[in-house]
């Protein structure tokens, strides 16, 4: 028996109401803030993701789904949404539009990770990017938008963590200080952190191992190393957030898992904490577009994981609207009636009424059981007698009351009952 690949899952029909709900809220939010939908390919040139994945090329090869196509081109399944959006911004000359350009996306992302609750090899993201403006008011707007998104979903108790990780000027000095601090504890570091010390020292700060956390507690703080411009930008983001009434916690150890961030970084934590719990995260990435071959272009954005959101909607027992059900199920008795039943199904659909027509050789009882399991509001039953009298039995599946209705009046009868 085949199974879905490890770390992936099918989204079954009974789950789809959640997806429709979250995606609908995302689209309304973007409409409200003036973000336009951009859909990028599922795979890209694998090098596109090199500046994004912490640890550079080594991590790209380790964490991404990379393959060669028949022409020998090295491609990667989309690992995240920001780099593809920036690629499209450059490729289509969107820098010629008034800036910032505001774009959003919804779709799957692929990461070769160790699967566990809330962490998958294929997950789905809703994200948005504002490209072409360094204004700290935009950082605050992006954060406010994330908050409004979670509130509109009905989620409660989530919290915002905020930090600034500086720029090309001040970050290297901080990294040097961090290296110095950690170098005196190398014997106590976990194997991952030993590698981080060499490749990606900022990530040392968010190691979850207790022994490493202890070392992080006494580590120098980035805020003490920010250059005056980054300091002013960070202060300003906070002032805007306060003015907008957005609660946040400063977390000088928040560094994020991707490599392109500069200045503002933020993460949204759920009410119930867990190792793989962040509902979303984002920040500023003022160097990425230049790294991808464009002119220096500041940008800021955010992405949320849809699976984790749905997990929290369920945990918090949030009622979501049900998907629409078929109005009627058409059952038949006998071959002559079957032809009329199939024809009636087609006529009802022509009038915009959602129906499912029975097929196969089930008994009437079996057909009605099927109508019930499909949650159809009505069953329409046609037998030989109904064919003769040009009528059908209309049965209300909730009350089980039934009446005989002329075929010519079925549409108006269903529409009158307002269950279409
Ligand atoms: P990220 O933090 O890597 O950021 O991913 C965003 C969100 O996607 C996470 O907070 C989490 O909810 C979800 N997520 C990530 N990996 C997994 C996984 N393996 N399984 C389930 N859910 C996952 C980014 O991708 C950035 N592009 C965000 C951004 C946009 N920054 C600026 N603009």
């Amino acid at each position: 028996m085949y199974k879905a690949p490890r770390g992936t899952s099918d989204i079954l029909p009974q789950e789809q109401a959640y997806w429709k709900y979250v995606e609908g809220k995302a689209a309304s939010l973007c409409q409200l803030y003036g973000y336009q939908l951009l859909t990028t390919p599922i795979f890209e040139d694998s090098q596109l993701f090199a500046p994004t994945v912490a640890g550079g090329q080594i991590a790209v090869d380790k964490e991404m789904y990379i393959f060669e196509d028949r022409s020998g081109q090295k491609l990667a399944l989309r690992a995240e949404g920001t780099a593809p959006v920036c690629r499209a911004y450059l490729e289509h000359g969107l820098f010629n539009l008034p800036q910032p350009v505001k774009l959003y996306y919804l779709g799957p992302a692929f990461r070769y990770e160790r699967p566990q609750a809330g962490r998958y090899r294929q997950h789905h993201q809703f994200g948005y990017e504002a490209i072409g403006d360094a204004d700290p008011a935009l950082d605050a707007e992006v954060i406010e938008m994330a908050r409004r998104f979670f509130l509109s979903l009905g989620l409660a108790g989530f919290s915002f963590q905020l930090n600034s990780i500086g720029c090309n000027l001040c970050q290297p000095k901080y990294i040097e200080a961090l290296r110095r601090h950690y170098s005196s504890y190398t014997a106590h570091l976990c194997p991952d952190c030993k590698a981080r010390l060499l490749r990606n020292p900022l990530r040392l700060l968010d190691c979850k191992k207790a022994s490493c956390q202890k070392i992080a507690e006494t580590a120098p703080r980035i805020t003490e190393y920010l250059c005056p411009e980054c300091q002013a930008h960070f202060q300003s983001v906070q002032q805007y957030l306060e003015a907008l009434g957005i609660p946040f916690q400063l977390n000088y150890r928040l560094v994020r898992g991707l490599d392109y961030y500069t200045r503002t970084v933020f993460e949204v934590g759920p009410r119930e904490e867990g190792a793989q719990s962040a509902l979303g995260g984002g920040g500023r990435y003022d160097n990425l577009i230049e790294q991808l071959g464009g002119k220096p272009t500041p940008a800021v954005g955010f992405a949320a994981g849809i699976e984790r959101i749905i997990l929290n909607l369920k945990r918090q027992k949030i009622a979501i609207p049900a998907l629409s059900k078929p109005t009627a199920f058409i059952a038949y008795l006998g071959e002559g009636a079957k032809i009329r039943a199939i024809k009636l199904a087609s006529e009802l659909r022509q009038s915009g009424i959602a129906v499912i027509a029975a097929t196969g050789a089930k008994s009437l009882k079996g057909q009605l059981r099927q109508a019930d399991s499909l949650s159809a509001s009505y069953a329409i039953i046609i037998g030989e007698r109904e064919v003769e009298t040009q009528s059908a039995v209309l049965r209300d599946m909730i009350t089980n009351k039934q009446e005989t209705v002329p075929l010519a009046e079925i549409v108006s009868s269903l529409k009158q009952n307002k269950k279409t």
Side-chain angles (χ1 to χ4, degrees), residues 80-82 105 111 113 118-120 123 125 128-129 256 258 260-261 278-283 285 301-305 308:
E80 58 101 48
T82 308
Y105 48 90
R111 299 179 186 180
E113 300 192 273
R119 192 207 262 178
Y120 314 103
H123 70 280
Q125 288 192 358
Y128 49 86
E129 317 290 344
R256 309 267 305 123
L258 299 157
Y260 47 60
Y261 290 108
L279 285 170
Y285 48 96
F302 170 77
R308 291 191 193 172

Side-chain angles (χ1 to χ4, degrees), residues 7 84 191 193 288:
C193 280
L288 181 59

Side-chain angles (χ1 to χ4, degrees), residues 259-388:
D259 239 11
Y260 47 60
Y261 290 108
T262 50
R263 295 191 166 171
T264 312
V265 287
F266 67 99
E267 226 162 66
V268 187
R271 193 166 62 183
E272 281 98 346
E273 280 293 330
Q276 297 303 323
S277 58
L279 285 170
R284 191 160 267 293
Y285 48 96
D286 291 344
N287 301 330
L288 181 59
I289 299 229
E290 194 180 359
Q291 280 169 2
L292 297 178
K295 293 204 183 97
T297 310
V300 58
F302 170 77
I306 300 185
E307 285 84 354
R308 291 191 193 172
I309 289 174
I310 293 177
L311 221 65
N312 281 273
L313 288 173
K314 289 180 179 171
R315 266 192 208 146
Q316 295 189 18
K317 299 196 169 45
I318 289 166
I320 55 155
L323 293 183
S324 54
K325 300 282 195 298
T327 302
F329 182 92
I330 304 184
Y332 63 86
L333 276 165
E335 201 48 37
K338 181 175 180 182
I339 293 172
R340 192 63 195 90
I342 298 290
K343 196 161 161 249
L344 178 64
S346 177
E347 289 159 3
L348 291 183
R349 290 173 186 138
Q350 184 65 30
S351 307
I353 296 171
V355 297
I356 293 176
T359 47
K362 274 193 213 81
S363 67
L364 181 62
K365 204 170 155 200
Q367 294 179 56
L368 291 178
R369 212 178 301 127
Q370 191 180 359
D372 204 38
S373 87
L374 291 166
S375 303
S377 307
Y378 292 93
I380 298 171
I381 307 159
I382 302 183
E384 305 294 338
R385 191 154 47 102
E386 283 74 29
V387 175
E388 264 168 43

Side-chain angles (χ1 to χ4, degrees), residues 145-353:
M145 192 168 158
R147 178 165 187 262
R148 200 180 294 274
F149 176 54
F150 293 116
L151 286 176
S152 76
L153 288 164
L155 288 172
F158 55 87
S159 59
F160 279 84
Q161 308 256 315
L162 181 72
N163 194 17
S164 170
I165 57 167
C167 65
N168 282 350
L169 285 178
C170 50
Q171 203 187 72
K173 289 183 195 127
Y174 175 64
I175 289 179
E176 217 180 283
L178 207 56
R179 270 214 173 97
R180 263 200 310 275
H181 172 76
Y182 273 86
S183 298
S184 36
Y185 296 100
T186 37
H188 305 280
L189 290 175
C190 73
D192 282 348
C193 280
K194 281 188 179 131
R196 287 180 186 128
L197 185 55
L198 295 173
R199 287 212 314 260
N200 188 24
L202 276 185
R203 292 300 309 276
L204 286 163
L205 291 172
D206 70 355
C207 179
K208 304 285 180 291
K209 303 243 164 50
S211 54
C212 298
Q213 286 208 345
K214 231 176 169 175
I215 304 167
E217 268 162 29
T218 53
R221 296 183 177 197
I222 178 83
T223 36
E224 288 154 17
Y225 287 78
L226 293 180
C227 63
E229 289 75 19
C230 286
Q231 195 67 260
H233 189 274
F234 192 34
Q235 289 307 323
S236 194
V237 172
Q238 293 177 54
Q239 277 164 5
Y240 283 117
L241 289 177
E242 275 153 18
L244 290 167
I246 296 169
F248 60 90
Q249 291 154 13
L250 291 178
N251 177 356
Y252 61 91
R253 273 155 63 179
L254 178 69
V255 290
R256 309 267 305 123
L258 299 157
D259 239 11
Y260 47 60
Y261 290 108
T262 50
R263 295 191 166 171
T264 312
V265 287
F266 67 99
E267 226 162 66
V268 187
R271 193 166 62 183
E272 281 98 346
E273 280 293 330
Q276 297 303 323
S277 58
L279 285 170
R284 191 160 267 293
Y285 48 96
D286 291 344
N287 301 330
L288 181 59
I289 299 229
E290 194 180 359
Q291 280 169 2
L292 297 178
K295 293 204 183 97
T297 310
V300 58
F302 170 77
I306 300 185
E307 285 84 354
R308 291 191 193 172
I309 289 174
I310 293 177
L311 221 65
N312 281 273
L313 288 173
K314 289 180 179 171
R315 266 192 208 146
Q316 295 189 18
K317 299 196 169 45
I318 289 166
I320 55 155
L323 293 183
S324 54
K325 300 282 195 298
T327 302
F329 182 92
I330 304 184
Y332 63 86
L333 276 165
E335 201 48 37
K338 181 175 180 182
I339 293 172
R340 192 63 195 90
I342 298 290
K343 196 161 161 249
L344 178 64
S346 177
E347 289 159 3
L348 291 183
R349 290 173 186 138
Q350 184 65 30
S351 307
I353 296 171

